[in-house]
């Protein structure tokens, strides 16, 4: 086995991750060291503490995947590392680690766009994505609708004007006393409630852009006015509003851009009610729904390694230099 693997390294936010992936998307080993304990008392990610936790976790994560796969540096075709978008201090830890390993092991390093990693997550372990496709990327930092005719041909359709969906989940979760990140707990709470409050669905009837901050503020005002409302009903009503928005925008994107598939990726794509809602919509529209397995929905390094294979094939190797903001269309 010579140069048949890419080592992926991810440290853009609050997860330190490493993985070894073949060109076909087979994942030989993957480690994600989450930092929930570090950040839970702050109700969000505390950037400086995130960087410090990455410093202690990153080398053990790399060692763990190399050992697990029985791999040596000679097995590596490249190291793919997230260079953005993300928190500057967090990005620098992964980037410096990758740059050091690249020199020490004599392996090329490729700076990868984290959003392109999410896009490729649906093809890990098995090629699932059919083209042309409409992509919904919903994570803690992003809400993006895009169209793809091939992995290297991406056209933006719309993004959020303010908060991302994941951010709205996390902020509303905080109002309801849920631990950060609130996505999974919000889904569980919502499943016990009834969506009896009609929260606003901003920009529902226009275009492919999103807006979630009005919905978030409306939940906040409701909680101020009616502090005794059963929290599960508030959660159910909030989730229902998010699902209505996401379904309407995806339906419109697929109608405007007839496609074989809808690909839903990013941390919020782990949400069971979102998966169910998209499955029903796709069935009705005769479109295939492509989802990453749950473990590849949230941040991981396997998706970064698979994206790095695209770069390698295209002869592209952006240097390991951070870029805090990056559009999805950029390599
Ligand atoms: O992709 P990701 O791991 O990190 C970013 O790149 O931002 O996404 C994290 C986001 C968080 O906002 C989290 O609350 C949300 O994904 N999330 C979920 C679920 N699991 C994670 N949202 C809804 N339901 C879930 N099961
Ligand atoms: Zn992410």
């Amino acid at each position: 086995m010579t140069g048949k693997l890419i080592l992926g390294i991810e440290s853009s936010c609050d997860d330190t991750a490493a993985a070894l992936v073949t060109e076909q998307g087979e994942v030989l080993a993957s480690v994600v060291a989450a930092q929930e304990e570090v950040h839970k008392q702050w109700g969000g990610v505390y950037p400086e503490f995130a960087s410090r936790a990455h410093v202690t976790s990153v080398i053990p994560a790399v060692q763990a995947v190399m050992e697990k796969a029985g791999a040596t540096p000679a097995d590596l075709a490249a190291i793919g590392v997230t260079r953005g978008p993300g928190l500057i201090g967090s990005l620098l830890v992964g980037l410096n680690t990758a740059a050091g390993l690249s020199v020490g092991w004599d392996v090329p390093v490729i700076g990868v766009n984290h959003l392109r990693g999410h896009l490729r997550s649906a093809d890990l372990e098995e090629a699932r994505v059919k083209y042309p496709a409409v992509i919904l990327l919903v994570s803690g930092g992003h809400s993006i609708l895009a169209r793809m005719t091939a992995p290297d041909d991406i056209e933006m359709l719309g993004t959020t004007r303010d908060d991302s969906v994941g951010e709205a989940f996390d902020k509303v979760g905080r109002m309801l006393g849920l631990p950060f990140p609130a996505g999974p707990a919000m889904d569980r709470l919502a499943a016990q409630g009834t969506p009896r409050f009609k929260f606003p669905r901003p920009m529902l009837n226009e275009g492919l852009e999103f807006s979630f901050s009005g919905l978030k503020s409306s939940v906040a005002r409701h909680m101020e006015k009616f502090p005794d409302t059963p929290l599960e009903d508030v959660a159910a009503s909030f989730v229902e509003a998010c699902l209505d928005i996401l379904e309407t925008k995806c339906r419109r994107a697929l109608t405007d851009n007839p496609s074989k598939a809808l690909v839903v990726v990013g941390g919020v794509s782990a949400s069971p009610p979102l998966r169910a809602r998209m499955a029903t919509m796709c069935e009705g529209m005769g479109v295939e729904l492509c989802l990453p397995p749950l473990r590849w929905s949230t941040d991981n390094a396997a998706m970064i390694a698979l994206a790095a294979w695209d770069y390698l094939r295209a002869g592209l190797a952006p240097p390991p230099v951070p870029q805090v903001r990056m559009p999805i269309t950029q390599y």
Side-chain angles (χ1 to χ4, degrees):
M1 182 166 69
T2 307
K4 293 292 193 306
L5 301 174
I6 286 189
L7 168 66
I9 298 178
E10 155 63 38
S11 71
S12 61
C13 189
D14 59 341
D15 291 306
T16 323
L20 285 168
V21 177
T22 67
E23 189 169 6
Q24 289 68 39
E26 190 191 344
V27 184
L28 298 196
S30 166
V31 165
V32 180
Q35 302 179 356
E36 273 152 28
E37 285 305 309
V38 177
H39 303 293
K40 70 176 184 195
Q41 62 176 308
W42 311 103
V45 177
Y46 196 124
E48 181 53 26
F49 290 160
S51 320
R52 292 182 203 179
H54 286 308
V55 170
T56 51
S57 311
V58 68
I59 291 291
V62 171
Q63 276 171 333
V65 292
M66 295 295 281
E67 268 167 34
K68 209 166 159 190
T72 69
D75 298 322
L76 301 181
I79 300 170
V81 58
T82 302
R83 74 178 189 99
L87 301 168
I88 184 69
S90 292
L91 289 167
L92 279 169
V93 178
L95 288 164
N96 282 322
T97 304
L101 292 175
S102 164
V103 172
W105 287 351
D106 195 21
V107 173
V109 63
I110 301 171
V112 174
N113 181 339
H114 179 84
L115 302 176
R116 283 184 172 255
H118 275 302
L119 283 187
R120 298 298 269 120
S121 64
D123 277 334
L124 281 166
E125 292 165 349
E126 182 188 324
R128 298 178 189 82
V129 178
K130 309 282 183 310
Y131 299 98
V134 165
I135 317 287
L136 175 69
L137 192 167
V138 273
S139 69
H142 296 86
S143 301
I144 293 173
L145 263 173
R147 161 118 162 137
M148 278 170 94
T149 57
D152 60 351
D153 180 25
I154 306 171
E155 182 200 346
M156 269 303 281
L157 297 176
T159 185
T160 180
R161 300 243 171 122
D162 38 60
D163 292 348
S164 72
V165 198
E167 203 174 349
F169 265 73
D170 294 336
K171 288 178 176 169
V172 169
R174 195 171 169 180
M175 290 173 208
L176 305 185
L178 302 177
F180 176 86
M186 180 74 81
D187 286 336
R188 283 193 294 275
L189 187 63
Q192 295 158 26
T194 311
R196 61 194 171 100
F197 307 113
K198 189 81 182 158
F199 292 131
R201 278 108 169 112
M203 299 178 69
L204 192 69
N205 298 319
E206 44 177 305
L208 297 173
E209 301 272 294
F210 301 95
S211 168
F212 289 96
S213 82
L215 168 59
K216 173 197 68 187
S217 311
S218 164
V219 178
R221 281 196 300 275
H222 178 96
M223 294 307 292
E224 277 162 26
K225 255 176 152 172
F226 311 105
D228 299 327
T229 317
L231 297 186
E232 61 273 22
D233 290 349
V234 177
S237 307
F238 165 74
V239 170
E240 190 72 7
C242 290
L243 296 184
D244 283 351
I245 296 167
L246 295 175
E247 179 184 346
T248 303
K249 301 283 172 173
C250 285
R251 189 182 287 281
R252 187 171 295 141
L254 287 164
T255 306
D256 294 354
N257 304 274
S259 299
K260 280 194 185 147
L262 173 69
V263 185
V264 186
V265 292
V268 184
S269 75
S271 162
L274 176 63
R275 287 179 168 232
R277 180 71 86 92
M278 292 299 173
T280 309
M281 182 195 75
C282 284
E283 210 182 314
M285 295 184 85
V287 168
E288 192 171 325
L289 176 62
C290 307
L291 293 163
L294 281 183
R295 62 185 165 287
W296 308 127
S297 284
T298 45
D299 283 352
N300 64 84
M303 66 185 196
I304 302 302
L306 188 59
W309 276 112
D310 297 343
Y311 286 62
L312 203 62
R313 271 193 301 272
L316 298 165
V321 172
Q323 189 175 326
V324 168
R325 276 181 240 288
M326 276 180 107
I328 199 166
T329 44
Q330 190 184 342
Y331 269 109

Coordinates of all heavy atoms in Angstrom, one line a residue, residues 10 12 114 118 139-140 266-267 297-299 303, ligand 2:
E10 N -9.1 17.9 10.8 CA -10.2 18.9 10.9 C -10.2 19.6 12.3 O -10.2 18.8 13.3 CB -11.6 18.2 10.6 CG -12.8 18.9 11.3 CD -13.1 20.3 10.7 OE1 -12.9 20.5 9.5 OE2 -13.5 21.1 11.5
S12 N -11.7 23.1 12.6 CA -12.2 24.5 12.3 C -13.0 25.1 13.4 O -13.1 26.3 13.5 CB -13.0 24.5 11.0 OG -14.1 23.6 11.1
H114 N -13.7 23.5 4.2 CA -14.6 22.7 5.1 C -16.0 22.5 4.5 O -16.5 21.4 4.6 CB -14.8 23.5 6.4 CG -15.6 22.8 7.4 ND1 -15.2 21.9 8.3 CD2 -16.9 23.0 7.7 CE1 -16.1 21.5 9.1 NE2 -17.2 22.1 8.8
H118 N -18.1 19.0 3.7 CA -19.5 18.6 4.0 C -20.2 18.1 2.7 O -20.9 17.1 2.8 CB -20.3 19.8 4.6 CG -20.2 19.9 6.1 ND1 -20.5 19.0 7.0 CD2 -19.7 21.0 6.8 CE1 -20.3 19.4 8.2 NE2 -19.8 20.6 8.1
S139 N -25.6 23.6 8.7 CA -24.7 23.3 9.8 C -24.8 24.4 10.9 O -25.6 25.3 10.8 CB -23.3 23.2 9.3 OG -22.8 24.5 8.9
G140 N -23.8 24.4 11.8 CA -23.8 25.4 12.9 C -23.5 26.8 12.3 O -23.9 27.8 12.7
G266 N -24.3 18.4 6.5 CA -24.1 19.4 7.6 C -24.7 18.8 8.9 O -25.6 18.0 8.8
G267 N -24.3 19.4 10.0 CA -24.7 18.9 11.3 C -26.2 18.7 11.5 O -26.7 17.7 12.0
S297 N -22.6 13.3 9.3 CA -23.3 14.5 9.2 C -22.6 15.7 9.9 O -22.5 16.8 9.4 CB -24.7 14.4 9.8 OG -25.6 13.6 8.9
T298 N -22.2 15.4 11.2 CA -21.6 16.4 12.0 C -20.1 16.4 11.6 O -19.6 15.5 10.9 CB -21.8 16.1 13.5 OG1 -21.6 14.8 13.7 CG2 -23.2 16.5 13.9
D299 N -19.3 17.4 12.1 CA -18.0 17.6 11.7 C -17.1 16.4 11.9 O -17.2 15.7 13.0 CB -17.4 18.8 12.5 CG -17.8 20.1 11.9 OD1 -18.5 20.1 10.8 OD2 -17.6 21.2 12.5
M303 N -14.6 13.4 5.8 CA -15.1 14.2 4.7 C -14.1 15.2 4.1 O -14.0 15.5 2.9 CB -16.4 15.0 5.1 CG -16.1 16.1 6.2 SD -17.7 16.8 6.8 CE -17.0 18.3 7.6
Ligands
LIG2 ZN1 -19.1 21.7 9.7

